Amino acid sequence: AQRVTQPEKLLSVFKGAPVELKCNYSYSGSPELFWYVQYSRQRLQLLLRHISRESIKGFTADLNKGETSFHLKKPFAQEEDSAMYYCALGNNAGNMLTFGGGTRLMVKP
Amino acid sequence: NAGVMQNPRHLVRRRGQEARLRCSPMKGHSHVYWYRQLPEEGLKFMVYLQKENIIDESGMPKERFSAEFPKEGPSILRIQQVVRGDSAAYFCASSPNPGTFTGELFFGEGSRLTVL
C-alpha cells in the first residue's frame, strides 16, 4: 500500500525565513513524488516533480530514498508563498496519485 | 481551454436525499479522478475512470456511492441517501492518456456538499 505523511498541518514563518515542509512516503515500488499547491481561491496545481529536479518559485525538493522523504524547501519565504501544500506519490502504473494530508504554510510579514 | 469544470460548486442536501456531482474534464483528456476532502483532512482518492470504464474504485465507500463516465457527457459522482458524514469538498481531476501521464493532474474547483 502506498502512503504519504505530512506531519505538520500548519507551518507559520516570517518573511525571509527558511521554510521546510516535510513529507514522508511508504511505497514498495520505485516512487514518483510531486508537490502540489493550492493558493487561496485557486485550484490545486502542480508545483514540482522530483524527476525534473527543478526549482519552481524558489522551491526545491530532494528525494531521499534512504529516509523515504521528499521535503519541500525554500531558503527565503515570501508572503505570496502562503498556501496549502500537498505532497503526492504516483504509483508504478502511472495512473494515480496518493496525496498527503497537506500543510498550510503561513508567511507573516 | 476552460479547464476541468465541476458543478454545482455548492450543494445542500437533507439527510436521505441524493447528491449528484458533475465533472467535465479538460478538452482532450480521457481520464477522470474523484477525490474527497473531509474537513481538516487531506485529499482522499475515491475513484478513477475512463470513458465507460471504472479503472480503480478502491477508495469508494462500499455503499451509497457510485461513479460513471459515459461515452457522452460529464463524469458523475452519485451519493444516495446522504448522511451528515458525507459533507465534504469533492474534487475532480483529469489527465490525458496514462501512457503519457507525467504526474500532473488538472483539478477542478471542487463541489462542496453540505448535508443538513
Side-chain angles (χ1 to χ4, degrees), chain A residues 9 36 43 86 94-95 97, chain B residues 4 33 35 37 40 101 103 105:
Chain A
K9 282 188 180 274
Y36 276 73
R43 301 168 188 232
Y86 290 94
N95 61 4
L97 291 182
Chain B
V4 177
Y33 307 75
Y35 286 83
Q37 185 177 43
E40 305 301 319
F101 185 62
L105 294 183

Side-chain angles (χ1 to χ4, degrees), chain B residues 23-70:
Chain B
C23 169
S24 295
M26 280 185 71
K27 188 176 180 181
H29 286 189
S30 55
H31 296 257
V32 164
Y33 307 75
W34 285 94
Y35 286 83
R36 176 165 66 171
Q37 185 177 43
L38 293 168
E40 305 301 319
E41 295 190 21
L43 290 165
K44 294 276 196 274
F45 168 77
M46 298 182 75
V47 63
Y48 163 42
L49 314 100
Q50 67 179 58
K51 290 276 187 183
E52 300 183 284
N53 193 19
I54 296 175
I55 307 296
D56 185 333
E57 56 181 346
S58 57
M60 287 280 270
K62 294 288 186 286
E63 297 175 345
R64 301 187 298 107
F65 284 72
S66 63
E68 63 175 7
F69 189 14

Side-chain angles (χ1 to χ4, degrees), chain A residues 29-70:
Chain A
S30 181
E32 289 200 36
L33 285 140
F34 310 86
W35 277 97
Y36 276 73
V37 62
Q38 186 173 28
Y39 299 104
S40 178
R41 288 187 285 278
Q42 293 188 28
R43 301 168 188 232
L44 190 62
Q45 59 188 289
L46 179 67
L47 178 64
L48 57 80
R49 49 174 75 94
H50 94 266
I51 200 167
S52 301
R53 294 182 168 276
E54 56 203 345
S55 173
I56 303 293
K57 299 184 179 182
F59 284 98
T60 59
D62 291 319
L63 176 61
N64 185 322
K65 291 187 179 180
E67 296 182 358
T68 60
S69 69
F70 188 57

